[in-house]
Amino acid sequence: MHGLESYLFSLIYHYRYHGLFLVLSLGMIGLPVPDEFIMAFSGFQTTTGHMSFVETLFFASIGSFVGMNLSYWIGRTLGIPFLHRIAPFFHFDENKYTRVEGWFRKFGDRLILVGYFFPGFRHFVAYFSGISKLNYARYSFLSGIGATLWSSTFITLGHFLGVHWQKVTYLIHRYLLRGGVILVLMTGIVYLYVNYRNKTKMTKS
């Protein structure tokens, strides 16, 4: 276990729900927080009686929701230059950024729920939603549902896995990273196909 992870787990253990809320809020803004591991660890704590399952789920969902909404308003306030600065932090180079910008404008709000489950991708979606000035009421509604689903998944996972939470969560996290790349590629292909089809229809007419 790395030093940062050890510190964060200790923070959750000692401060419980308030620590969980703070850590997930900061993690959703983009700080290097192992979100899935934090939630799975918190879920495990509910099996020992140290934390309540219902309260853990509530504070995890609220923390995730707050972080995603802060990211939205940071993006909306600071705009495109800010996203260009943070893109390398999320492993988005200029080419990926250009591709994602195009299909996000096409499919934007539909990706908010899905984006939660892919590390790095969820942060990008939150910031770009703000930059694109996506209707806040709709964004808030979708990000709230996404936060609840995402938190429920990993906290429940940690609860039922018990002492095996860390090993299984590591495997899931690794495949989610790969899945994020696949999601980007698949969405890009769909976007290109739709554009091609629309141009073909315009040419024929």
Side-chain angles (χ1 to χ4, degrees):
M1 188 181 298
H2 298 296
L4 176 61
E5 292 179 2
S6 180
Y7 173 76
L8 292 175
F9 291 150
S10 177
L11 189 68
I12 300 298
Y13 185 81
H14 286 96
Y15 294 98
R16 299 192 294 175
Y17 314 112
H18 296 99
L20 179 62
F21 172 85
L22 177 64
V23 169
L24 288 180
S25 296
L26 295 176
M28 298 309 289
I29 295 175
L31 295 184
V33 172
D35 304 295
E36 289 84 4
F37 287 91
I38 291 297
M39 288 190 290
F41 171 74
S42 300
F44 168 61
Q45 293 302 307
T46 67
T47 67
T48 66
H50 186 65
M51 295 172 72
S52 159
F53 183 86
V54 174
E55 288 184 83
T56 299
L57 177 57
F58 174 77
F59 279 94
S61 300
I62 294 298
S64 304
F65 175 78
V66 168
M68 284 289 278
N69 280 264
L70 285 174
S71 297
Y72 172 92
W73 285 108
I74 291 172
R76 186 158 181 159
T77 303
L78 300 182
I80 291 289
F82 173 73
L83 190 60
H84 276 291
R85 287 187 177 184
I86 66 170
F89 182 74
F90 298 122
H91 306 291
F92 278 88
D93 58 24
E94 193 64 33
N95 291 330
K96 286 182 181 178
Y97 171 84
T98 302
R99 287 202 306 270
V100 174
E101 179 182 14
W103 55 253
F104 184 86
R105 293 188 183 281
K106 189 79 175 180
F107 305 105
D109 59 356
R110 306 172 201 177
L111 300 175
I112 295 171
L113 294 176
V114 179
Y116 263 99
F117 289 87
F118 299 100
F121 190 76
R122 55 178 166 260
H123 307 96
F124 193 88
V125 167
Y127 282 117
F128 211 97
S129 294
I131 289 170
S132 302
K133 297 187 176 175
L134 185 69
N135 179 270
Y136 179 66
R138 182 168 178 78
Y139 174 83
S140 181
F141 175 73
L142 292 173
S143 63
I145 294 175
T148 303
L149 292 174
W150 184 56
S151 301
S152 300
T153 299
F154 284 94
I155 288 171
T156 303
L157 192 68
H159 179 82
F160 284 107
L161 288 174
V163 295
H164 304 291
W165 70 269
Q166 192 169 9
K167 185 182 296 184
V168 178
T169 305
Y170 171 77
L171 291 173
I172 293 174
H173 185 266
R174 186 171 66 181
Y175 285 110
L176 284 177
L177 285 172
R178 295 177 181 177
V181 175
I182 295 172
L183 178 64
V184 170
L185 292 175
M186 288 181 64
T187 312
I189 290 171
V190 171
Y191 173 74
L192 291 173
Y193 171 74
V194 171
N195 271 3
Y196 173 77
R197 188 176 63 181
N198 290 339
K199 288 180 180 178
T200 302
K201 287 182 180 179
M202 291 177 61
T203 302
K204 289 182 179 180
S205 61

